[in-house]
Amino acid sequence: MTARWEHFPHGADVGVRGFGPTKAESFEQAALALTAVIADPADIEPREAVTVKCEAPDDELLLAEWLNSLIYEMATRRMLFGRFAVRFDGPGLVGQAWGEPVDTARHAPAVEVKGATYTALRVAREDDGWVAQTVVDV
């Protein structure tokens, strides 16, 4: 499986889905899909790294926690992230997000993501890799 992301329709909100040959890559791609709701990840330069640590009792809740942690970091730092790395550590993960401060003229942010929900929340091994998905509230 090639690592990739996509959006899927969900009423007034937006579904984000990440695919990858490993669970970590599916979480990284889900984070890219989250960024792509706001702006084109290709337009975001990896100038600054931010470390994100989170824990949850299962993979699905960990995905929601990961994405909500990134949303928090974007809001409080006024940054966008376009590159991610995830490493699982026991019941949690340690992630790196690389990005830069929001430049409204260059990034043209489309919407503000309020949070990752538990709607359509799924992390699963598939035939040739992993999928990690949820719906984000915009």
Side-chain angles (χ1 to χ4, degrees):
M1 172 181 282
T2 303
R4 63 186 171 87
W5 62 267
E6 69 183 19
H7 294 149
F8 62 92
H10 186 272
D13 296 324
V14 179
V16 295
R17 186 178 289 138
F19 299 94
T22 66
K23 183 169 58 170
E25 286 176 283
S26 72
F27 273 54
E28 293 162 6
Q29 293 297 311
L32 269 176
L34 168 69
T35 295
V37 171
I38 304 163
D40 185 346
D43 293 338
I44 301 166
E45 295 188 21
R47 294 183 186 165
E48 185 180 331
V50 173
T51 299
V52 175
K53 296 179 183 181
C54 44
E55 280 190 19
D58 62 42
D59 288 343
E60 283 80 15
L61 294 176
L62 189 58
L63 175 65
E65 190 66 29
W66 160 240
L67 296 177
N68 281 323
S69 295
L70 292 171
I71 292 164
Y72 172 82
E73 294 296 337
M74 286 190 281
T76 59
R77 295 173 185 267
R78 295 190 174 112
M79 290 181 71
L80 290 172
F81 302 112
R83 190 174 125 217
F84 303 91
V86 169
R87 178 177 51 84
F88 292 99
D89 184 20
L93 67 76
V94 178
Q96 291 285 316
W98 289 268
E100 65 177 323
V102 175
D103 177 338
T104 39
R106 192 163 49 84
H107 297 131
V111 296
E112 179 182 349
V113 176
K114 298 173 192 153
T117 71
Y118 296 155
T119 304
L121 186 57
R122 179 172 174 250
V123 175
R125 190 166 191 43
E126 294 192 332
D127 295 335
D128 56 349
W130 287 81
V131 62
Q133 73 173 36
T134 193
V135 170
V136 294
D137 184 14
V138 293

